[in-house]
Amino acid sequence: MSDVGNRLDHFPTPAAMRKVIDNPADDLKVFITSRESRCDECKQDLGRHAWIRLEGAGRAVCLACADLAHLVFLPSGDAALTRRARKHARLSAVVLKWSQARKRYERQGLLVEEDALDRAEQECAADAATREARRASAAQRRAELDQEYVVRFAARVRELYPSCPKGRETKIAEHACRKYSGRVGRSGAAKALDENAIRLAVVAHIRHRETPYDDLLVGGRERGEARTEVSDRVATVLREWTR
Ligand SMILES: [Zn+2]
């Protein structure tokens, strides 16, 4: 049994559990586990403190499999920034961690699209007292990236998809390289800049940026269903970028 499966035993009724797992009207939720866990989709061992999403029938999947790997983490603590980031984001997820002491899930922060966070940070920048802290947090996000790897990954994207819009290769590479668990960019194949690994990163990007996929997810659509719905559009864009 997975870690979060055990954690859910703390909920009194199946209805309460369902509410926590997936209320379509509510935010998407990502859980930080506190024991060894494994992705039910890619079967990768995620170690302790893995970030996972729960799907139907108690399946736990890593962020890459859940199509949330492109989001960046904004820790709780800055209410104005969080509110603004959420407002600008098409897709965001609340990050929760079980507190053994308080016997409840506690909010750790928000996973949000980087563009939305950038915009929110700019809007909040007028507040001088917190400006320095925000600069530090942005610097921290960049420091998480292996810059040399990002450059090589981006160059390979450009080579394989020469008609990809300007600047997207860097976006794709940065997202693929983030050091959250289960990110496609950190797999061995991606490290070797394997053509298929690059294609997966590009497809994920297209799905999020060039199709209504995220809106479908937010609307509570099953991931598989949403993927099927946008697959023609993804294939078309991929073809255009390959030319
Ligand atoms: Zn997975």
Side-chain angles (χ1 to χ4, degrees):
M1 196 178 201
S2 72
D3 167 72
V4 168
N6 290 335
R7 297 274 79 89
L8 289 175
D9 291 343
H10 295 287
F11 287 92
T13 65
M17 262 173 60
R18 270 199 303 279
K19 186 159 179 275
V20 164
I21 294 173
D22 241 341
N23 179 351
D26 213 349
D27 290 308
L28 294 182
K29 294 181 181 72
V30 163
F31 295 89
I32 302 178
T33 66
S34 48
R35 281 186 245 159
E36 293 291 329
S37 52
R38 165 184 261 229
C39 174
D40 284 329
E41 183 150 317
C42 67
K43 308 298 178 199
Q44 199 184 320
D45 285 318
L46 304 172
R48 297 172 67 86
H49 313 300
W51 295 42
I52 57 148
R53 174 152 156 72
L54 291 175
E55 301 193 326
R59 267 166 53 94
V61 297
C62 71
L63 293 190
C65 289
D67 286 327
L68 298 176
H70 64 301
L71 303 180
V72 296
F73 181 57
L74 171 63
S76 296
D78 188 330
L81 186 59
T82 298
R83 196 180 58 245
R84 285 186 164 123
R86 203 156 154 205
K87 191 181 78 195
H88 294 312
R90 283 197 304 155
L91 183 66
S92 62
V94 175
V95 178
L96 298 164
K97 193 173 169 187
W98 180 255
S99 161
Q100 194 55 43
R102 296 191 187 81
K103 298 280 185 263
R104 63 163 194 234
Y105 283 100
E106 292 185 336
R107 184 181 285 246
Q108 307 297 304
L110 197 69
L111 278 170
V112 69
E113 289 154 337
E114 189 161 29
D115 290 349
L117 182 53
D118 285 344
R119 224 176 125 187
E121 276 172 339
Q122 281 159 23
E123 286 178 3
C124 288
D127 181 356
T130 52
R131 200 179 297 150
E132 189 47 45
R134 282 175 185 132
R135 234 197 312 273
S137 119
Q140 171 66 32
R141 284 206 308 281
R142 280 191 300 273
E144 283 173 0
L145 298 173
D146 174 344
Q147 290 300 341
E148 194 231 318
Y149 180 56
V150 169
V151 168
R152 286 196 302 129
F153 196 105
R156 190 83 172 108
V157 170
R158 176 56 61 194
E159 183 188 328
L160 294 170
Y161 301 92
S163 298
C164 150
K166 190 165 176 288
R168 295 293 187 89
E169 68 273 32
T170 304
K171 284 267 172 216
I172 294 167
E174 285 179 351
H175 290 153
C177 298
R178 284 198 185 281
K179 288 176 181 171
Y180 288 114
S181 57
R183 304 243 153 172
V184 281
R186 305 309 291 184
S187 70
K191 279 202 155 138
L193 303 180
D194 167 81
E195 195 166 323
N196 193 49
I198 302 282
R199 192 182 64 83
L200 288 177
V202 172
V203 164
H205 174 86
I206 290 173
R207 212 182 268 134
H208 292 298
R209 294 290 295 261
E210 306 287 338
T211 80
Y213 182 74
D214 289 356
D215 296 329
L216 293 174
L217 282 190
V218 170
R221 197 77 51 102
E222 286 280 333
R223 185 159 48 88
E225 228 177 275
R227 281 193 179 205
T228 307
E229 230 167 288
V230 303
S231 64
D232 284 352
R233 174 74 187 142
V234 169
T236 302
V237 174
L238 202 59
R239 253 195 323 274
E240 284 167 1
W241 288 10
T242 310
R243 275 203 292 268

